[in-house]
Amino acid sequence: MRKTTSKTANYAFALTIAALTLPISAVFDTSTIFLNAARWYVGASIVVVIVLVGALFDMLGMAAAAARETPFHAMAAERVFGARRAIVIVRNAEKVSSVCSDVIGDIAGVLSGAGALAVSVQVIQAIQAHGWATEALRIGITAVITALTVGGKAIGKTIAIHSPTPIILFAARVWESFAMLFGRRDPSRRRRPRRRDRGRDR
């Protein structure tokens, strides 16, 4: 069964997320200013990356909500790498979904829109468009980025609903790899006593 949390803890987490979203969004929105000084193709590449990041995290949030613990317990019994971390993710599905979908996903959506405007300005300046062509380019580029954002999230959610287990396992393995890299291994993995120690205990 999933671990349930109190309403007070849920409200506290929601307030914490709201408080953290403000500075994170401000920093990311400020970073879009640098797109104005970059070439249009550089800006377009950055916007595409932002769209992909938003779609991937939205997919992860949906997969966390759709996944179940049972297959990961079986994997953990067989010592599959990342299985224990996957259980932690599933047990905290509400928080993971909120952070991935509501925070990172929504911020990525806002950034992609702001980036699309910056790219449209660069394209207009590059081809020296005038009159109706200026508005047509601006609307066209914004529409394409919006379609990519919505379509990418829709595809990601469909994949997450039908295949949540491999997505969560992959995310858990990435988390476990970073934890091992920085020397923070899973505390639930305790070292088993050696044979000599077992003999002494008898």
Side-chain angles (χ1 to χ4, degrees):
M1 295 179 66
R2 293 192 177 187
K3 183 179 179 181
T4 57
T5 56
S6 63
K7 291 183 178 180
T8 304
N10 291 332
Y11 291 146
F13 176 76
L15 292 175
T16 302
I17 290 299
L20 290 176
T21 302
L22 182 62
I24 293 174
S25 180
V27 171
F28 285 160
D29 287 343
T30 303
S31 64
T32 58
I33 298 176
F34 297 100
L35 293 177
N36 295 325
R39 299 285 185 178
W40 69 268
Y41 48 84
V42 175
S45 301
I46 294 174
V47 171
V48 171
V49 170
I50 293 173
V51 171
L52 291 176
V53 169
L56 287 175
F57 275 93
D58 198 65
M59 179 176 65
L60 177 59
M62 180 61 68
R68 296 293 180 265
E69 287 188 34
T70 305
F72 297 115
H73 282 292
M75 294 179 190
E78 297 178 0
R79 297 183 179 181
V80 175
F81 181 73
R84 294 182 181 272
R85 298 282 183 180
I87 295 173
V88 175
I89 293 175
V90 176
R91 287 181 177 177
N92 295 273
E94 184 177 356
K95 296 180 180 179
V96 173
S97 180
S98 179
V99 172
C100 293
S101 300
D102 298 335
V103 178
I104 300 178
D106 290 348
I107 290 177
V110 173
L111 286 178
S112 63
L117 291 176
V119 171
S120 64
V121 171
Q122 292 296 329
V123 172
I124 290 171
Q125 293 179 353
I127 65 176
Q128 298 181 353
H130 299 284
W132 63 268
T134 301
E135 295 298 329
L137 284 171
R138 186 173 298 149
I139 294 173
I141 293 174
T142 303
V144 170
I145 298 301
T146 302
L148 290 176
T149 302
V150 176
K153 288 187 175 183
I155 294 173
K157 287 182 178 180
T158 301
I159 296 173
I161 291 174
H162 289 87
S163 304
T165 302
I167 295 173
I168 296 301
L169 182 60
F170 176 78
R173 286 175 173 175
V174 173
W175 182 10
E176 183 73 16
S177 299
F178 276 102
M180 294 176 62
L181 181 63
F182 291 101
R184 296 180 179 179
R185 301 188 67 179
D186 191 349
S188 62
R189 289 187 174 182
R190 296 180 179 179
R191 184 176 62 86
R192 291 188 175 184
R194 297 179 180 178
R195 292 182 179 179
R196 294 180 180 178
D197 298 334
R198 293 178 181 177
R200 293 177 182 177
D201 295 338
R202 293 179 181 177

